[in-house]
């Protein structure tokens, strides 16, 4: 059986930690990086549960700063 | 000999004809007395069917100056026209154009003020024109025609100067010159520039990022004070160059004169007659006419007035250009002012009388 | 696992090419960024990158020109539709759009907005309505809701004192020169996709000479509203959408 697997890459220097992506993600993949800030002093998000990502791009679509790049691939289980 | 295109028309009409002939791409304006013939003539001539020039009546002077901003920012030769209260409304846009270094042309056919004032002629916008008029440290090139012929000739000149320096240029006329009919030789037809010519002449223009060039941004905004200061200094250096190179003036019977009348625009025509009357009475009087009000011919006035007995600045206002003349003369000889207000155009006789009373005594 | 997936052939979403790497000055979660992305995507997809001139407002989007690599003109406050009229009339084959906020478009620039729309200028106007003046620090806007608190109506907008909020998009839909008037939002994936289609339609309509378009985006200003970005979206749905109802108000484009 094949299944869609996804992955995201967050441009953490661009991220402002608004968390809209966290809410948009249907699989609860994304979370704020704990106790970390970027060069601008913003907290930023990361893929906390990468295995759950389905590559739907909801996070990247709602991201106001264009920080997230999304990849998706069909994989055999 | 080439047959010249001699016509009889109003100053306002001459502006319209000249705009089409000098390859203007667009006119945007709003009706106001005493200059509505400019847009009316353009509408009647329908240049969009011949040269392709756009003519549009805007919803206000605020809108028309911003249409000029847009057109000039996109590299086009565009002009607008208005009269004093309308030009007051345009000051925001003119300041933005100066700040963004845009080469637009605007015509002010002045009427008396303040406020709604009168529809009769006046020269009371001299300060507004020559001091910038809007917010910030800037200058606009100001040409003051004194005939219908110069109304026609200065349109192309204003465009040439505006594009040479990337700066707004104004034709500061008044109700006398705008409304009077006179013989005029219209300038020869010049084709509008092609897209390639515009790209070459205006590599800064915001007209679509062709090829792989960086985006062109038309703006006057900069939040970093150190960068903004550099931009301002650049503007000031440009203004210095304009002052150096673009002063225009005319003098008439000044060589042997004891007294000099300094006047611009329509007042200079009356001044010429005053010189004639004064000389009939044995008074040696000459006339100096600044053609560019900014840059002002300060050095030239100072030079020409050396050894004279006095200067009368005759203008149709309460005393505006007289300040620039006093700065130029710098106390070397008496400088007096004569003016009529509220739309009254002085007659030559009263100018001679003022000269006699204020200077000859 | 992720490393196998992260490779160019598996790419499904990235920041549009026209959006450069300059960090945007907008507050975290601001709707402007999403709309900027949509504008960039539409211009790219239409193949108009080298034929587009954007006109920015005064307000939060004053620096839009820093972020999208197209030619821009920065207009005086409220005058973007007049500036765009000048550009479009003189370069009719170019894609010329304005991008304005509620203070710029529906207050100081009301005359320019109404008349450009009514003349049927072939210009799409993108109108970000977040019911507040963001850039100047959260003052009352023409679109501020009744009862809504801002820095200049700290006890809530009271019609007796401040007058009513202006629904300019409804007004625009009655103008003969408009071909497409719509109200959208960018708070969910579905609404973002709809908003993008609306922008695309308006841009296409302008290039086909069909007249003017107004695309209102009901948006958040979480800093001005003093809410988190997530809460701001909720507040918007609860309070803005009933007053600023989403959907097409007019569409004669045939597109």
């Amino acid at each position: 059986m094949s299944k869609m697997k996804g992955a995201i890459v967050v441009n953490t220097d661009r991220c402002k930690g608004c968390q809209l992506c966290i809410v948009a993600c249907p699989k609860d993949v994304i979370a704020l990086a704990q106790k970390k800030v970027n060069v601008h002093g913003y907290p930023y998000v990361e893929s906390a549960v990468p295995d759950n990502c389905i590559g739907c791009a909801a996070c990247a679509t709602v991201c106001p700063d264009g920080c997230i790049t999304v990849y998706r691939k069909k994989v055999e289980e | 000999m080439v047959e010249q295109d001699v016509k009889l028309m109003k100053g306002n009409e001459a502006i319209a004809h000249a705009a089409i002939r000098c390859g203007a791409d667009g006119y945007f304006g709003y009706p106001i007395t005493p200059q509505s013939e400019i847009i009316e003539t353009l509408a009647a001539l329908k240049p969009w069917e011949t040269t392709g020039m756009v003519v549009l009546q805007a919803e206000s002077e605020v809108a028309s100056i911003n249409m000029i901003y847009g057109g000039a920012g996109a590299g086009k030769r565009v002009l607008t026209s208005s009269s004093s209260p309308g030009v007051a409304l345009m000051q925001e846009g003119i300041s933005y154009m100066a700040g963004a270094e845009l080469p637009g042309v605007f015509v002010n056919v002045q009427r008396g003020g303040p406020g709604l004032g009168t529809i009769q002629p006046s020269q009371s916008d001299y300060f507004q024109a020559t001091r910038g008029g809007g917010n910030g440290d800037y200058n606009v090139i100001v040409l003051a025609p004194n005939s219908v012929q110069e109304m026609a000739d200065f349109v192309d000149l204003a465009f040439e100067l505006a594009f040479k320096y990337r700066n707004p240029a104004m034709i500061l006329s008044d109700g006398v010159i705008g409304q009077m009919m006179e013989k005029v030789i219209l300038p020869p037809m010049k084709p509008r520039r092609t897209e390639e010519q515009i790209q070459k002449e205006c590599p800064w223009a915001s007209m679509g990022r062709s090829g792989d060039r960086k985006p062109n941004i038309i703006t006057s905004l900069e939040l970093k004070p150190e960068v903004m200061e550099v931009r301002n200094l650049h503007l000031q250096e440009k203004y210095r160059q304009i002052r150096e190179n673009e002063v225009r003036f005319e003098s008439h019977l000044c060589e042997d004169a004891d007294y000099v009348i300094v006047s611009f625009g329509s007042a200079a025509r009356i001044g010429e007659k005053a010189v004639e009357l004064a000389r009939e009475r044995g008074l040696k009087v000459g006339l100096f006419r600044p053609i560019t009000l900014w840059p002002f011919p300060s050095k030239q006035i100072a030079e020409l007035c050396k050894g004279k007995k006095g200067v009368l600045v005759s203008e149709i206002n309460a005393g505006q250009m007289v300040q620039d003349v006093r700065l130029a003369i710098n106390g070397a000889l008496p400088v007096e002012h004569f003016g009529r207000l509220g739309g009254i155009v002085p007659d030559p006789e009263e100018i001679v009388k003022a000269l006699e009373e204020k200077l000859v005594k | 696992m992720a490393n196998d997936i992260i490779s160019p052939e598996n790419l499904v979403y990235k920041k549009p090419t026209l959006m450069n790497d300059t960090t945007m000055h907008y507050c975290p979660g601001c709707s402007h960024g999403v709309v900027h992305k949509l504008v960039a995507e539409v211009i790219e997809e239409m193949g108009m990158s080298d034929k587009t001139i954007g006109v920015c407002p005064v307000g939060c989007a004053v620096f839009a020109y820093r972020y999208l690599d197209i030619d821009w003109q920065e207009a005086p406050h409220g005058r973007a539709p007049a500036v765009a009229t000048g550009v479009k009339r003189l370069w009719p084959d170019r894609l010329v759009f304005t991008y304005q906020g509620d203070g710029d478009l529906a207050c100081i620039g009301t005359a320019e907005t109404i008349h450009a729309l009514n003349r049927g200028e072939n210009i799409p106007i993108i109108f970000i309505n977040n019911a507040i003046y963001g850039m100047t620090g959260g003052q009352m806007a023409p679109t501020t809701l009744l009862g809504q608190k801002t820095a200049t109506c700290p006890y809530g907008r009271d019609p007796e004192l401040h007058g009513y909020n202006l629904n300019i998009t409804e007004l625009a839909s009655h103008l003969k020169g408009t071909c497409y008037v719509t109200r959208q939002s960018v708070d969910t994936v579905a609404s973002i996709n709809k908003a993008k289609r609306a922008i695309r339609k308006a841009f296409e309509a302008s290039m086909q000479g069909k007249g003017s378009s107004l695309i209102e985006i009901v948006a958040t200003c979480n800093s001005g509203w003093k809410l988190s970005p997530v809460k701001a979206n909720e507040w918007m749905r609860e309070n803005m959408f009933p007053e600023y109802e989403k959907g097409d108000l007019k569409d004669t484009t045939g597109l």
Side-chain angles (χ1 to χ4, degrees), chain B residues 25 54 59 62 66-67 69-70 73-74 76 78 92 96 195 206-209 213 215-219 221, chain C residues 18 50 53 62-63 65 69-74 76 79 82-83 85-87 89-91 94 112 115 119:
Chain B
D25 298 303
V54 169
E59 62 271 31
V62 176
N66 281 288
M67 292 171 185
Y69 180 102
K76 296 282 189 169
V78 283
E92 171 196 59
Y96 274 68
E195 182 164 343
S206 172
M207 52 186 273
R209 183 175 58 89
R213 75 158 163 79
N216 281 339
I217 312 292
I218 302 299
T219 182
L221 173 67
Chain C
L18 272 186
D50 59 348
I53 299 109
V62 70
F63 286 124
Y65 58 73
D69 283 341
I70 52 170
D71 277 3
W72 286 95
Q73 296 203 26
E74 164 51 42
R79 318 299 176 218
V83 171
T85 297
V87 181
R89 288 271 177 154
L90 293 159
W91 290 108
R94 302 303 206 265
E112 286 77 11
H115 285 281
R119 279 195 304 268

Side-chain angles (χ1 to χ4, degrees), chain A residues 12-60:
Chain A
T12 53
D13 281 350
R14 240 181 123 83
C15 178
K16 296 169 181 163
C18 75
Q19 305 177 51
L20 290 177
C21 55
I22 298 178
V23 178
C25 177
K27 297 287 181 187
D28 298 328
V29 171
I30 309 170
L32 274 184
Q34 287 306 302
K35 295 184 181 174
K36 284 185 195 165
V37 292
N38 65 16
V39 286
H40 302 292
Y42 284 120
Y44 56 85
V45 296
E46 59 186 10
S47 182
V49 196
D51 284 352
N52 286 358
C53 181
I54 53 169
C56 70
C59 55

Side-chain angles (χ1 to χ4, degrees), chain C residues 170-184:
Chain C
E170 271 77 3
L171 218 155
S173 69
H174 295 292
L175 303 176
K176 289 178 184 161
T178 52
C179 66
Y180 183 46
V181 177
T182 187
R183 191 181 274 130
Q184 303 290 336

Side-chain angles (χ1 to χ4, degrees), chain B residues 263-335:
Chain B
S263 288
F264 71 96
S266 61
R269 289 177 75 109
I270 306 161
E272 251 181 72
K273 185 71 187 171
V275 166
E276 198 185 306
L277 287 179
R279 285 190 174 255
E280 279 169 15
R281 291 182 207 172
L283 269 178
K284 285 186 185 166
V285 180
L287 177 78
F288 185 96
R289 174 168 81 99
I291 294 171
T292 50
L293 302 183
W294 192 91
F296 192 71
S298 304
K299 277 185 215 162
Q300 292 78 2
I301 287 183
E303 191 58 36
L304 186 133
C305 290
K306 265 186 197 152
K308 310 289 187 205
K309 292 180 180 164
V311 175
L312 182 74
V313 180
S314 172
E315 41 184 344
I316 312 175
N317 58 41
Q320 300 194 16
M321 184 174 70
V322 65
Q323 294 194 3
D324 284 334
V325 177
R326 285 193 175 124
L327 283 170
I329 301 283
N330 200 17
L333 59 150
V335 177

